[in-house]
């Protein structure tokens, strides 16, 4: 089936929720679900590349999430590392954003932070939030101000930790929850929010097309 | 009809969108719609009071909105003033939050800022965002830091301009748009988001009940 769009988002934010519920539905331990989220991410990346989407941000895991049982933490850390490594095989300009000063940040991902790294033809910007926290993100602006000692009006959005991630046009969340859960508060300010009831490991290309067909009908006002 | 809830939100955020579309549908000039949003707000307040909701925040108007034509600005400024004045007749603890340093902030609302004012028995906290801007809200924390010169980890959420507004549990948006449009980025981090297609002047008590019945089925994780 051919899909044509009047207008596509420049930047899509992806909240790939529902891995644990998916595992439980299959009688697997909760942590087993994360592994099944890797191939969907890669499929979504290829589909976006084909459509000409310029930037995607994946919500990997947060500092809030790391309060979960140890096996779950190990499983989502590994899934993030595996996903980023798989993306290095494509044509991505990869950036990982998260608090690297914690032992919960996987060492394998340090090379992708704090600067973006180009792979292949670097056709699409892909951002991965890993050990991310909205407080950490926003308070980095304060920390920088504390160090530099000068205040100017734009230091707020320009000095946050995630400043290299651009404004998000469309957020797609799998797993039915209708909330941001701390996902990039500054970049999502004007984003349109599309929810799928399907759990993330049940990702289908049709989900993205649905979201894009909905998105092309929205008016864009940026708060005006 | 009697409504019982297993669990109600402590704090509801209200995005009363669709006034201009409502006016246009009736062949009225766009700015005529705002006046018809006042009674719905008061009806919603009374309904929340009856249900025991502790706090409501209304998204009045933003600094982004003030770029609209002059007649529209005058109309939404007047509607906000009228709504707040009407609420002083009830049992509310009223707070107005917005940039008062601009001529676009209505002078009549200065008494309700920067501290909350108690009316009647002060049974419910009601916050009104007036000439609000998310950049202004967040960068206030930077400004305070610039003045005080000391950084501590909690100065971020504690020093924003809207710091006296608590975390929001449930956002209800009328008018079908699925986005935050700059509504209190810090307080809405973990909020559940309920959208009604109906335009705000078409408010019905049933809308709130629908939202609350949906909300009681959501799990609350606060990002965990």
């Amino acid at each position: 089936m051919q899909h044509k769009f009047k207008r596509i988002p420049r930047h899509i934010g992806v909240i790939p929720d529902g891995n644990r519920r998916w595992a439980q539905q299959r009688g697997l331990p909760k942590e087993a679900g994360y592994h099944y989220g890797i191939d969907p991410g890669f499929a979504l990346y290829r589909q976006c590349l084909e459509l000409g989407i310029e930037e995607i941000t994946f919500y990997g895991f947060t500092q809030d999430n790391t309060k979960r049982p140890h096996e779950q933490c190990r499983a989502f850390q590994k899934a993030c590392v595996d996903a980023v490594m798989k993306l290095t095989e494509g044509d991505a300009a990869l950036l990982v954003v998260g608090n690297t000063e914690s032992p919960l940040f996987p060492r394998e991902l340090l090379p992708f932070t704090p600067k973006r790294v180009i792979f292949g033809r670097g056709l699409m910007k892909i951002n991965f939030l890993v050990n991310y926290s909205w407080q950490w993100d926003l308070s980095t602006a304060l920390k920088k101000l504390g160090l530099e000692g000068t205040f100017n009006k734009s230091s707020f959005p320009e000095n946050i930790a995630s400043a290299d991630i651009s404004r998000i046009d469309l957020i797609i969340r799998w797993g039915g929850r209708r909330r941001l859960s701390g996902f990039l508060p500054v970049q999502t300010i004007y984003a349109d929010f599309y929810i799928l009831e399907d759990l993330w490991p049940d990702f289908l290309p049709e989900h993205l097309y649905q979201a894009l067909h909905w998105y092309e009908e929205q008016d864009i006002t940026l708060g005006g």
Side-chain angles (χ1 to χ4, degrees), chain A:
Chain A
M1 180 179 171
Q2 192 73 1
H3 287 271
K4 296 244 180 220
F5 301 96
K6 292 183 280 193
R7 186 170 56 82
I8 57 166
R10 208 197 62 75
H11 183 178
I12 297 179
V14 176
I15 306 183
D17 195 21
N19 297 282
R20 292 183 297 172
R21 284 173 278 161
W22 186 91
Q24 281 189 298
Q25 285 175 3
R26 278 155 189 77
L28 298 169
K30 283 181 177 180
E31 64 271 17
Y34 295 110
H35 171 72
Y36 295 91
I38 299 171
D39 283 346
F42 204 65
L44 179 64
Y45 151 74
R46 278 183 305 224
Q47 202 184 351
C48 285
L49 195 61
E50 207 164 285
L51 287 162
I53 307 291
E54 292 176 36
E55 187 168 355
I56 321 181
T57 299
F58 285 98
Y59 208 7
F61 71 89
T62 63
Q63 295 194 274
D64 285 335
N65 297 153
T66 59
K67 293 165 201 149
R68 294 180 188 165
H70 185 63
E71 318 78 66
Q72 288 183 34
C73 289
R74 268 210 318 223
F76 62 59
Q77 285 167 322
K78 184 175 186 312
C80 284
V81 172
D82 291 351
V84 172
M85 292 310 170
K86 197 168 165 72
L87 287 167
T88 64
E89 297 163 14
D91 288 303
L94 269 169
L95 176 68
V96 171
V97 172
N99 188 347
T100 57
E101 287 169 24
S102 144
L104 295 161
F105 186 94
R107 300 297 97 185
E108 299 92 321
L109 298 181
L110 281 174
F112 309 97
T113 168
K115 293 243 175 272
R116 198 177 288 284
V117 187
I118 310 293
F119 292 90
R121 289 170 295 164
L123 296 176
M124 195 196 307
K125 287 187 182 176
I126 304 185
N127 314 306
F128 235 93
L129 303 187
V130 170
N131 203 40
Y132 173 84
S133 137
W134 66 272
Q135 291 105 323
W136 164 81
D137 188 5
L138 301 185
S139 66
T140 296
L142 288 174
K143 220 167 177 170
K144 284 188 187 163
L145 175 61
L147 293 171
E148 295 164 12
T150 49
F151 171 73
N152 79 60
K153 261 184 95 167
S154 65
S155 45
F156 181 70
E158 286 170 20
N159 278 341
I160 60 175
S162 62
D164 289 338
I165 300 180
S166 74
R167 185 170 60 71
I168 292 177
D169 300 302
L170 170 64
I171 301 163
I172 312 179
R173 182 168 185 148
W174 276 260
R177 310 290 191 232
R178 297 170 182 262
R179 54 191 177 231
L180 281 173
S181 306
F183 185 53
L184 293 170
V186 166
Q187 290 88 341
T188 58
I189 284 282
Y190 302 119
D192 280 302
F193 206 156
Y194 191 81
I195 309 291
L196 289 146
E197 294 303 320
D198 309 74
L199 305 176
W200 171 246
D202 290 327
F203 167 82
L204 291 173
E206 203 47 41
H207 296 163
L208 177 64
Y209 294 133
Q210 273 173 37
L212 293 177
H213 280 303
W214 173 79
Y215 178 78
E216 68 178 345
E217 300 303 333
Q218 303 308 304
D219 68 328
I220 307 300
T221 65
L222 303 183

